[in-house]
Amino acid sequence: MSDTTETQFALRRIADRRQLLRGAAGLSMLPLTGALAACDDDAMLNAKPTTATGTAASTAAATPVGTTSFSIAVLPDTQFYSRYATVDENRQFQRKYGSEPFAAQTQWIVDNAQTYAIPFVIHLGDVVDQVRKPAQWAVADAAMKRLETAPIPYSILAGNHDVLYDVDYHVPADQQAGTDSQRTLSSEPYLTWFPTSRAQNQSTFRERDRTGFHEYHIFEMYGVKFMVLSLSWRISDAGILWARDAIRRNPTLPVILANHQLLNIDKDGKSPLETDYGLMVWNTLIRDNDQIFMTLNGHHHGAALLTKTNDFGNPVHEMVVDYQMAYQGGNALMRLYEIDFSANKIDVMSFSPWVVQKPKETLNQFDRAVLEDANNRFTISIDFKKRFARFLPNFAYTEMTAGVPILPRVRTALLSGYTEPAAPAEVLPRDADDYPKIAETAAHWRVASGIVDGRIVQVGETLPDVTGRNPMTRVPLSGPAMVEDVVWSTDRHRLSSAPGSVRFRNTDKVTARSSAFATATNAPINAATFGAGYTVEAFIKIDANWTVTNHRWGNILTRNGNRGKLPGFAGGDREAPPILFAISSLREVQWEVVPASNTAYPQANWSGEVMVDTWYHIAIVNDPVANETILYVDGAPVLRNSAGQVGIATLAADMPWVLGAAWWDGARKDGYFGHIGEVRIVARPLANTQWLTARRS
């Protein structure tokens, strides 16, 4: 829009806010309890802003009665929303909920841009999951067109899933491969679906670099102009020079830098962690450009904030936000950044406009309309005049005589008439036998009572099967494996009634060091194909020292045999076994089986990223009636599931089941690193009330 139109838009918002203030008493009379009552509009108007750590800001930054603020909408990685809305993936969202998360996000922005003063939207990349699938691009195209039709300007960038050649950065020499400079631009789907000509239709658009992957926009609110500089995956040295020049040509503008990758999250799932690529961008672009005062990126799963000091002694607030590995691929969680000039702060909130639209009968404890933890709901104190003084010494904004903070209103509106489902009450086991007994149990491996923590499991020693039919024994050592690599442990998941677990130590993929347990060649379960469906449960904890190099694809459970020898098999990795129950290179839980009902191709389920040094309960339920196989992590159904087939194929009745390692063409491979608690296989689908996490009746 033109400068005149932007001014008129802002004036309309001022008038709207004055009207809202007149009705503020009505808002404050809404029934508020718990945390919501602590965040109502009146409390926010009278409270001092808090820092990201929750401490009170200085008196000079106290919130006045009137506020001059606006909000920027941020869309983290949308890749699974694009993928699982397609026919290829059985239209999972539309089929289950009657709506789609990506469209819900952009439509919410369209519906609320004026009410919540949203002049601009930032997409953080990974627009799609599979770059070569046009159907996924079509979903993204339709969702973003809602903004264009409104029109509401936005910036967009390509993530690693949006380019044909995806390779990470670690050392300076990596700039010679995998950057925008090495791409065949005419072949890149991102540039076909979101070309420069499309970006030029944004009223805020100013320029793209020569490759078309990087762009910048300028928007204005309350008399203050901002630059949004959006850089796609793996920017080249030439791209960095272009970005520096774009800032140089706009010397008075505060800059919000959007990347796909910059900041990561540490193993605890909360603490910020700098990346090699992020440090490169810091050193070549950010640290000596005082105009860059905040950065946003996705790519790494979760949310965190890191405040660094640039070469001028000023803070730069780096924020990572990416929900793709959360429930339903992110559950449409997005962010608003409320920039409040009058209060000298930036308020941040993560929320889902889709959750509140879902049919009530589909909701569960994982449906959260607003995230309340410190990494997702926080305030950054920032003295704008002081922070911008070097490049914008005459900083001033159009003051409002009245106003109501935005984020509390968003929260109130979202939660009005919506009750977040309560999590089922956890009941801890009363004794070692406190779990539901199922008649169709095929095998239930759990450590025996009286184990000694840390005692070495000797070769040939038994891991009992509760049914008595299929005990496992530790297999003979091979390669560099040593007897002390496996020990009994009293450590266990809080909801497991078993006395403990088996700990696999010293596993090393590089040296092929691994250990395992296996059933006997005549065990009855070896021949089972589970034609009535199945439920597989396992309690696992990945070792705190897990690394991609040494421990990727470590297998929890498998059954021996080359799946390529199955009748009619036409899939890949013919030397692999019929089951791969493993931890992937991305620390995802993989459940890949060749179904007994159709041995032509394997089917796979995938979780999101799981943390190290954390106990999880995994359940895989194959249900012939529902015609699907669902993987659950701590009770949450994952998004990437499979449909249409039943059972698990077997090569022969003398092919054992294996715990703690896999099979590859006759050899043991891909050992597991960490704890495995009790594991149960039941020859029918079970409801969660019958899982090992439940209690006996």
Side-chain angles (χ1 to χ4, degrees), residues 3 67 89 126 171 200 210 263 304 340 371 396 408 524 554 595 649 660:
D3 290 344
T67 66
E89 300 289 351
D126 273 0
V171 296
Q200 288 170 337
R210 66 168 188 81
L263 186 66
D340 192 334
L371 300 186

Side-chain angles (χ1 to χ4, degrees), residues 511-564:
T511 63
R513 183 172 181 170
S514 66
S515 299
F517 291 80
T519 57
T521 55
N522 62 351
I525 196 172
N526 297 346
T529 56
F530 305 98
Y534 58 81
T535 301
V536 176
E537 295 180 80
F539 293 98
I540 64 167
K541 184 170 81 166
I542 302 169
D543 195 280
N545 296 312
W546 186 96
T547 68
V548 172
T549 301
N550 291 344
H551 307 115
R552 66 190 185 277
W553 304 110
N555 270 250
I556 301 161
L557 183 71
T558 189
R559 68 194 314 177
N560 283 350
N562 288 24
R563 64 188 187 182

Side-chain angles (χ1 to χ4, degrees), residues 112 119 135 226 337 390 396 404 547 569 573-574 600 633 658 671 690:
N112 293 280
F226 288 86
Y337 285 80
R390 285 194 70 261
V404 178
T547 68
F569 187 82
D573 292 335
R574 299 177 62 85
V633 178
V658 177
Q690 299 170 303

Side-chain angles (χ1 to χ4, degrees), residues 72-82 102 105-106 109 120-128 137 140-141 143-144 147 153-159 162 190 194 213 215 217 228-232 257-260 296-298 321-322:
I72 298 171
V74 175
L75 300 176
D77 306 41
T78 56
Q79 61 195 76
F80 291 150
Y81 308 150
S82 297
F102 202 163
Q105 288 178 322
T106 52
I109 295 170
F120 198 75
V121 181
I122 299 174
H123 196 301
L124 296 179
D126 273 0
V127 182
V128 301
W137 286 104
D141 170 71
M144 298 306 286
L147 298 178
Y154 66 86
S155 67
I156 195 166
L157 57 90
D162 303 322
Y190 174 81
F194 291 92
F213 275 105
E215 65 186 44
H217 295 249
V228 175
L229 181 58
S230 288
L231 308 180
S232 288
L257 179 66
N259 275 262
H260 183 60
L296 305 171
N297 72 273
V321 55
D322 172 16

Side-chain angles (χ1 to χ4, degrees), residues 605-616:
N605 299 59
W606 297 87
S607 80
E609 180 184 18
V610 293
M611 297 294 104
V612 300
D613 202 29
T614 302
W615 275 107
Y616 290 97

Side-chain angles (χ1 to χ4, degrees), residues 77 87 97 133 169 172 241 267 271 281 285 306 346 394 444-445 607 682:
D77 306 41
V87 173
Y97 306 108
K133 297 289 184 73
Y169 170 97
L241 290 175
K267 292 179 180 179
S271 303
V281 175
L285 177 62
L306 175 66
I346 301 174
N394 297 318
H444 184 181
W445 298 290
S607 80
V682 176

Side-chain angles (χ1 to χ4, degrees), residues 492-514:
R492 61 183 176 85
H493 190 288
R494 66 190 181 281
L495 295 180
S496 171
S497 61
S501 59
V502 179
R503 184 182 180 190
F504 294 84
R505 308 186 299 182
N506 305 316
T507 299
D508 190 328
K509 186 181 181 74
V510 176
T511 63
R513 183 172 181 170
S514 66

Side-chain angles (χ1 to χ4, degrees), residues 126-312:
D126 273 0
V127 182
V128 301
D129 190 46
Q130 296 169 306
V131 64
R132 291 179 173 85
K133 297 289 184 73
Q136 295 179 31
W137 286 104
V139 172
D141 170 71
M144 298 306 286
K145 274 182 178 175
R146 292 172 183 256
L147 298 178
E148 295 168 0
T149 302
I152 299 168
Y154 66 86
S155 67
I156 195 166
L157 57 90
N160 59 304
H161 282 260
D162 303 322
V163 298
L164 293 174
Y165 180 49
D166 166 18
V167 59
D168 213 335
Y169 170 97
H170 294 290
V171 296
D174 291 338
Q175 285 297 85
Q176 305 309 310
T179 75
D180 54 74
S181 289
Q182 287 85 37
R183 294 172 191 148
T184 303
L185 302 180
S186 60
S187 301
E188 291 288 345
Y190 174 81
L191 298 179
T192 299
W193 287 90
F194 291 92
T196 299
S197 58
R198 183 170 185 174
Q200 288 170 337
N201 292 327
Q202 307 293 322
S203 61
T204 55
F205 176 79
R206 294 299 181 268
E207 187 175 286
R208 279 192 177 184
D209 77 314
R210 66 168 188 81
T211 70
F213 275 105
H214 318 297
E215 65 186 44
Y216 82 87
H217 295 249
I218 296 175
F219 71 89
E220 181 176 351
M221 283 298 291
Y222 306 123
V224 181
K225 290 184 178 180
F226 288 86
M227 173 192 288
V228 175
L229 181 58
S230 288
L231 308 180
S232 288
W233 174 256
R234 290 297 313 281
I235 191 169
S236 62
D237 293 338
I240 290 172
L241 290 175
W242 169 83
R244 293 183 66 87
D245 188 58
I247 296 173
R248 181 191 60 79
R249 287 181 279 121
N250 295 277
T252 64
L253 299 188
V255 176
I256 299 170
L257 179 66
N259 275 262
H260 183 60
Q261 182 197 22
L262 194 75
L263 186 66
N264 196 355
I265 302 161
D266 214 340
K267 292 179 180 179
D268 62 4
K270 299 177 182 179
S271 303
L273 178 68
E274 295 193 86
T275 66
D276 295 331
Y277 183 77
L279 288 170
M280 183 274 288
V281 175
W282 171 265
N283 287 320
T284 59
L285 177 62
I286 302 172
R287 66 181 301 164
D288 65 343
N289 270 305
D290 197 30
Q291 292 169 246
I292 302 174
F293 71 100
M294 64 183 279
T295 72
L296 305 171
N297 72 273
H299 186 61
H300 297 290
H301 312 146
L305 162 67
L306 175 66
T307 299
K308 299 186 67 175
T309 301
N310 66 17
D311 289 351
F312 307 95

